[in-house]
Amino acid sequence: MNRSTTGIMILVMLFFSVMSCEKETVDNQDMEDDVLNLPEAPYDYETVILPEHLQTNVLLGPGQNAAVENDNTPSDNPITNEGATLGRVLFYDTKLSANGTISCASCHQQENGFSDSDVLSLGFEGGLTGRHSMSLVNANWYGRGRFFWDERAETLEDQVLMPFQDPVEMGMTLEGVVSTVQSQSYYPALFDDAFGTTEINADLIAKALAQFVRSMVSVNSKYDEGRTGVSIPTDDFPNFSESENNGKRLFFRPVSLGGGGCVGCHSTEAFINPDNGPTNNGLDAESTDDLGVFEAINNPAFLGTFKVPSLKSVALTAPYMHDGRFATLEEVVEHYNSGVQNHPNLGDALQDENGQAIQLNLTEQEKTDLVNFLRTLTDDELTNDVKFSDPFK
Ligand code: HEC
Ligand code: HEC
C-alpha cells in the first residue's frame, strides 16, 4: 500500500467515525468519555407529587412545620426540566476540575444518597477534604437556605460555585470553569434550552447546578408509604414491623417521656432542621480543631454547632457526622444513648432538667428498633432514578 492510499484509508475511517458519532445524542470532541447520553425530551424534574404529610404539618413543638413551607427556591431560579438537565451534565462533568479527574459526583454519589462512603473525600490531586461530604437529599427544604456543615454559603446558588474553586476539591478559578464550559461543544445548546441563550457565564452555571441539586427531594420511602395510611406520624404504620414502629415511637417521643427526642432537631417530616438551624449534639465536650458555624459567623453561640442534615436515605450516607467519626447507624444511636457530652452549646433537646447531657438508657432491643426505623427513611427511587445518574455513561 503506498502512502496516498493509506492517507485516503485514514480519511475514510475518520469520516465514518465522525458520522457514527453524530448519530449519538450530542457530538463530542475527545471521543472516549465525552459521549453525552441524554434523552430526546428532557426528564421530568418539575413535577414532584408531594404526599399530604409534606404539605401540611401535624407535629407539635418549635420548628415543626410542613416541608413545603421551607422551600428555599429563589423566585428567579425555579426548577425547569431543561435547567436541571444542564445542571446534571455540569454535576457529572470531570472536565470542570483542574486536571480533568473530579466532578461533583465524585464526592456526592447517587448510590450513597449523594454523599461519599469515605470519611474524607479525595480531591483532584489526591488531597483530602477537611470534613465529611454531605448528603444532598432534601437540600430544597432547608428553610434557612444556608449550606455546608458550617453554613458558610448563604444560598445554594453561592454554594455550588465554591467546590470548583476549592484548592483541594476541584482546583479551578471561576474564569477557568466558565471558559472550560464555553469550549465544550455540547454546552451551548443545553444553555439555550435552559435559559434561552448560548452565552455562558458563572451565574447561569450556578443556577443550573442549584436546580439539579434542589430536584433531589425525597418523597418515596417505606416511611412515606406507611405515613399515607395514618393521620399522624406517631400512629403505628400498617407497613412497618413491630420493631420499626417501636423505633418510630422512640424517634418522635420526648426524652422526658421515655423517647429519644430526635424529632426536636431532625424536625418536620422532611427530617431536617429548617427553622432552628445549626446546633451541637454533644460529640465532644469542647470544640478545638473544628469550630463549626463559629468559623463562618463569629458569635460564641455558634461555637461547635453544625448544620443538621436531613435523615432521608441516611442508611446510605455512612459514615456519619461532620467528621465522619461513626461508621454505622448503630454507633450513632449509641452516641445518643450513652455518649452525649456536656458541650457549652449542647442543644436543649439533649439536656435534662438540670442542663446536663441526657443518657437515654435504651435497651439493646430499643437501640435496634431505632436503627430499624432510620432504615425506613431510605428512598430507593432517588438512588435508582436515571434522571440523577451520570449522563456521560
Ligand atoms: C472533593 C470532594 C467534593 C467535591 C468534588 C464536591 N463536593 Fe460538595 N461537599 C463536599 C464536602 C466535604 C462537603 C462538606 C464541606 C463543609 O461543610 O465544609 C460538601 C458539601 C456540599 C453541599 C452542602 C450541602 C448542605 O446540606 O449544606 C452541597 C450543596 C454540595 N457539596 C454540592 C456540590 C456541588 C454542586 C459540587 C460540584 C460543583 C460539589 N459539591 C463538589 C465534598 C465535595
Ligand atoms: C439537639 C439536637 C439533636 C437531637 C435531639 C438529635 N440530633 Fe441527630 N444530629 C444533630 C446534629 C447537630 C447533627 C450533626 C452533628 C455534626 O456532624 O457535628 C446530627 C446528626 C445525626 C446523624 C448523622 C447524619 C449524617 O448525615 O451524618 C444521625 C443519623 C442522627 N443525628 C440521628 C439522631 C437520632 C436517632 C436522634 C435521637 C436519638 C438524634 N439524632 C437526636 C442534632 C440532634
Side-chain angles (χ1 to χ4, degrees), residues 4-201:
S4 66
T5 14
T6 319
I8 289 168
M9 291 282 291
I10 289 173
L11 274 177
V12 168
M13 279 160 66
L14 266 177
F15 177 75
F16 278 111
S17 63
V18 167
M19 290 300 286
S20 65
C21 279
E22 268 177 7
K23 273 196 240 117
E24 299 286 349
T25 42
V26 181
D27 60 334
N28 48 75
Q29 292 170 330
D30 295 330
M31 303 292 167
E32 269 149 32
D33 58 343
D34 262 12
V35 184
L36 252 186
N37 188 3
L38 293 174
E40 289 273 319
Y43 292 122
D44 188 0
Y45 297 89
E46 288 167 29
T47 332
V48 180
I49 298 161
L50 290 179
E52 188 57 31
H53 59 275
L54 293 173
Q55 301 187 54
T56 42
N57 174 50
V58 295
L59 293 166
L60 302 173
Q64 305 295 352
N65 48 27
V68 289
E69 289 172 47
N70 303 304
D71 193 326
N72 57 45
T73 309
S75 57
D76 67 348
N77 195 28
I79 295 175
T80 64
N81 296 338
E82 294 78 9
T85 297
L86 169 59
R88 176 180 171 217
V89 177
L90 293 163
F91 191 85
Y92 281 95
D93 199 339
T94 53
K95 285 186 246 24
L96 308 184
S97 61
N99 58 1
T101 58
I102 294 270
S103 71
C104 310
S106 307
C107 306
H108 299 284
Q109 303 135 10
Q110 185 181 16
E111 67 273 23
N112 294 317
F114 302 100
S115 173
D116 190 349
S117 55
D118 288 344
V119 172
L120 302 174
S121 304
L122 278 182
F124 74 108
E125 275 183 319
L128 291 173
T129 55
R131 297 188 177 115
H132 177 59
S133 170
M134 298 176 82
S135 155
L136 304 182
V137 178
N138 284 348
N140 184 58
W141 287 328
Y142 192 62
R144 285 167 59 80
R146 301 187 69 104
F147 288 88
F148 285 125
W149 286 110
D150 58 10
E151 298 207 334
R152 64 187 179 278
E154 263 173 56
T155 66
L156 188 53
E157 279 73 6
D158 285 352
Q159 192 284 332
V160 293
L161 295 178
M162 294 178 173
F164 293 125
Q165 303 169 81
D166 186 288
V168 171
E169 294 183 357
M170 300 170 89
M172 297 282 271
T173 61
L174 203 49
E175 301 72 55
V177 174
V178 173
S179 71
T180 308
V181 174
Q182 283 167 344
S183 60
Q184 307 311 313
S185 56
Y186 44 84
Y187 278 120
L190 292 171
F191 276 81
D192 197 23
D193 289 348
F195 299 113
T197 173
T198 53
E199 242 162 81
I200 293 168
N201 60 42

Side-chain angles (χ1 to χ4, degrees), residues 360-386:
L360 295 180
N361 300 319
L362 301 173
T363 64
E364 288 308 313
Q365 185 58 51
E366 285 173 324
K367 289 186 230 169
T368 305
D369 294 345
L370 206 39
V371 170
N372 286 341
F373 167 66
L374 293 172
R375 292 190 197 287
T376 69
L377 302 176
T378 299
D379 190 329
D380 287 323
E381 207 151 301
L382 213 48
T383 309
N384 294 307
D385 198 332
V386 63

Side-chain angles (χ1 to χ4, degrees), residues 115 132-135 149 250-251 255 259-266 273 277-284 304-311 314-315 317-326 328-329 332-333 335-337 345-351 358 360 362 370-371 373-374:
S115 173
H132 177 59
S133 170
M134 298 176 82
S135 155
W149 286 110
L250 290 167
F251 188 92
V255 177
C262 317
V263 77
C265 295
H266 300 281
N273 199 22
T279 181
N280 176 281
N281 67 343
L283 295 175
D284 302 296
T305 65
F306 291 86
K307 179 172 176 175
V308 184
S310 172
L311 296 185
V314 72
T317 68
Y320 301 107
M321 307 301 167
H322 68 272
D323 53 5
R325 69 175 65 191
F326 299 131
T328 62
L329 285 174
V332 171
V333 167
H335 161 69
Y336 287 108
N337 184 54
N345 288 326
L346 180 64
D348 291 342
L350 295 173
Q351 297 177 24
I358 50 142
L360 295 180
L362 301 173
L370 206 39
V371 170
F373 167 66
L374 293 172

